[in-house]
Amino acid sequence: MRTRRGLCYPRTQWEAHWRSSEEEERMSRKRRRRLPPGEAAVGRKDFGWKMATEAVSEDSPDFFDGLPDDLVVSILCKLIASATSPSDLISVLVTCKRLNRLGLNPLVLHMASVKSLAVRAKKWSESAHRFLKRCADAGNLEACYILGMIRFYCLQNRGSGASLMARAAMGSHAAALYSLAVIQFNGSGGAKGDKDLRAGVALCARAAFLGHVDALRELGHCLQDGYGVRRNIAEGRRFLVQANARELAAVLKSSAAPSVAWHHHRRHALVSGCFLLSDFGCNVPAPKAHPANRFMVEWFAARGPGGGPGDEGLRLCSHGDCGRPETRRHEFRRCSVCGAVNYCSRACQALHWKLAHKAECAPMGRWLEADAVYAAVGGAPPEVDNGGGGAMY
C-alpha cells in the first residue's frame, strides 16, 4: 500500500515557519567558511561558541557605553581608593579603551591609595616613573612622597626629590614632614655644615602633631638629649610614652595584624616582635614599612648604598626597614658603645635597639682594654653600661 509523502500533506503556518528556519540553518552550515589551521586545532565546538558570542555581542545593547563619564569616574575613584596593589589599577586600564582613558583621569589618580602606588624596585622602569609623576601632578600626596624619596635617595636627584617631598609636606603628609626633618638633621644632600637642627625639630614637631609615631619618638629623644631644642627630660618622656601608646593603638586597629601577645618581659629572653612596648609588659608585631622605605631597601640591596661603583664608602641605616643611605661619608651617627652600626635618626636607633641590637651590642674593644688595664693594677673591671641604646656619636 502506498502512502503519501510528508511533503504532500498541507502544512500549518507554524510548521512552515519552523521548516523555513531549519532550511536556513542548513544553508548557513553549507556557507560556513572553513576553519583556519589554528582554530581547527582548537575544535569546531569552541569556534562555534566564539561565533555565538560574537553574534550575541553584536545584537545585544552595550549598557556600559550608555553610562555618563562622570558616573564612571566616580566609581573608579572609589575603586582605586580601596585598591590593595598596583595590579588592581592595571587590570582596569587594560580592560577597554574607555576605562583606560577614564582611569588616567586626574580625579582618579588623585584618589589612588598608597598600596596601588607601591612600585617594587625590581620592576622599576620608565613607565613606572611616568605613572608616579602623573599621579603626583594630579595632586596625590602619597605619589609625591614616594617619588620624592625615590628621586632624592635612589636616583640622586636631590632638588627634584626634596621639592616633591615638600609639596607633600605642605599638604600635611606626616611621613614627608618626618623625612624632611631627617634630611635637616643630617644635612643630607649637602655638606656637614648644612645641618639645621632647629628646622629639623620644627618639622618633626609638625609630624608628631599629626600622629607620626617615628616623629614622636624622634622629638622625645631630642627633648631628652637637648638636641636642637632646649632640654626637657619630662616633656621628652611624655612624647616617648605617647609614641608607644599610638603604636599600640595602630596595632589594635589593624585588622590584618595578628593578635597582641601580652606577657611579662624577661630580662634576658628575646621574643619575636617589636619590644617598644616592653616597658608596659606587652609585645606587638614590628610596624610595617612604608612602600617608599621598602623600595629603597630593595633598591640598595641590589645596587649598594651609593647606587653606583664610585660610592663604596657610603653606608645604609642599620635599621633594616628604613632603607635610607648616606649622601656623603660619615653622615650617619654610629652607636657609641660598639661602633658597628649606624643610624639616620634617633627613632631608627631606638627601634633597632629594641628589635635586635640590644642583644648584639657588645663593647669588645673597650672590654679588652679595660681587662688589660685592671689586670695590670690587680683590680676587677667595672660593668659597662650601654645607656639603653640611646647614645650615638
Side-chain angles (χ1 to χ4, degrees), residues 1-338:
M1 178 179 177
R2 296 185 60 184
T3 57
R4 294 195 301 182
R5 293 177 300 174
L7 295 176
C8 299
Y9 289 101
R11 295 185 297 180
T12 61
Q13 182 179 3
W14 176 84
E15 187 179 0
H17 174 72
W18 178 77
R19 288 188 177 276
S20 61
S21 300
E22 186 179 4
E23 292 173 0
E24 290 179 359
E25 179 66 20
R26 191 182 299 111
M27 295 298 296
S28 64
R29 290 177 181 176
K30 292 181 179 180
R31 292 193 301 266
R32 184 174 296 173
R33 64 182 179 87
R34 290 186 176 182
L35 295 176
E39 294 180 352
V42 176
R44 291 183 177 275
K45 183 177 180 180
D46 296 340
F47 183 68
W49 172 255
K50 179 181 177 182
M51 292 184 61
T53 306
E54 292 178 356
V56 171
S57 62
E58 291 177 359
D59 297 338
S60 60
D62 193 349
F63 296 102
F64 177 70
D65 292 338
L67 294 176
D69 288 350
D70 295 342
L71 179 60
V72 178
V73 168
S74 177
I75 295 173
L76 290 177
C77 287
K78 294 185 177 181
L79 286 176
I80 196 172
S82 59
T84 58
S85 64
S87 59
D88 295 341
L89 176 60
I90 295 174
S91 61
V92 173
L93 297 179
V94 300
T95 302
C96 63
K97 292 183 178 179
R98 189 186 183 197
L99 284 179
N100 184 279
R101 176 174 57 85
L102 297 179
L104 296 177
N105 189 290
L107 295 175
V108 178
L109 298 179
H110 176 77
M111 298 297 296
S113 65
V114 60
K115 293 183 179 180
S116 65
L117 302 173
V119 182
R120 306 305 292 264
K122 60 183 179 181
K123 296 184 179 179
W124 179 253
S125 61
E126 190 61 31
S127 59
H129 195 169
R130 287 196 302 268
F131 173 72
L132 287 178
K133 180 65 167 60
R134 196 163 185 172
C135 293
D137 292 339
N140 191 300
L141 298 183
E142 287 292 347
C144 291
Y145 173 63
I146 294 175
L147 185 57
M149 291 284 283
I150 293 174
R151 285 187 176 181
F152 188 88
Y153 288 107
C154 301
L155 304 182
Q156 300 183 7
N157 191 344
R158 314 294 186 193
S160 176
S163 176
L164 285 170
M165 283 188 280
R167 190 193 306 179
M170 287 188 292
S172 297
H173 192 278
L177 286 164
Y178 175 69
S179 295
L180 290 175
V182 173
I183 291 175
Q184 294 294 333
F185 281 136
N186 297 324
S188 301
K192 185 177 181 180
D194 294 332
K195 293 182 180 181
D196 193 343
L197 303 184
R198 291 191 176 183
V201 171
L203 290 168
C204 207
R206 176 61 179 168
F209 175 77
L210 296 174
H212 196 270
V213 176
D214 288 340
L216 284 166
R217 189 170 294 114
E218 182 77 20
L219 187 59
H221 284 293
C222 288
L223 287 169
Q224 284 189 333
D225 301 338
Y227 189 75
V229 67
R230 182 178 297 177
R231 189 175 185 183
N232 191 333
I233 298 178
E235 191 72 9
R237 179 63 180 171
R238 185 179 69 85
F239 277 109
L240 292 177
V241 172
Q242 187 177 357
N244 289 333
R246 284 186 176 273
E247 187 176 48
L248 177 60
V251 172
L252 294 176
K253 289 181 180 179
S254 177
S255 59
S259 60
V260 180
W262 297 84
H263 58 81
H264 293 288
H265 175 66
R266 297 181 180 179
R267 183 176 181 181
H268 299 290
L270 288 178
V271 185
S272 62
C274 178
F275 288 83
L276 289 174
L277 300 180
S278 59
D279 295 337
F280 302 98
C282 66
N283 176 39
V284 298
K288 187 177 294 185
H290 192 276
N293 297 95
R294 188 168 65 245
F295 182 95
M296 292 192 299
V297 170
E298 297 175 356
W299 180 276
F300 293 115
R303 295 171 175 82
D311 298 320
E312 290 82 0
L314 301 182
R315 303 168 298 179
L316 288 172
C317 179
S318 295
H319 176 40
D321 291 335
C322 176
R324 288 183 176 88
E326 290 181 326
T327 59
R328 66 177 185 278
R329 293 191 177 185
H330 309 296
E331 176 183 340
F332 294 164
R333 291 163 292 180
R334 294 187 296 174
C335 176
S336 61
V337 177
C338 65

Side-chain angles (χ1 to χ4, degrees), residues 370-382:
D371 288 340
V373 171
Y374 282 91
V377 298

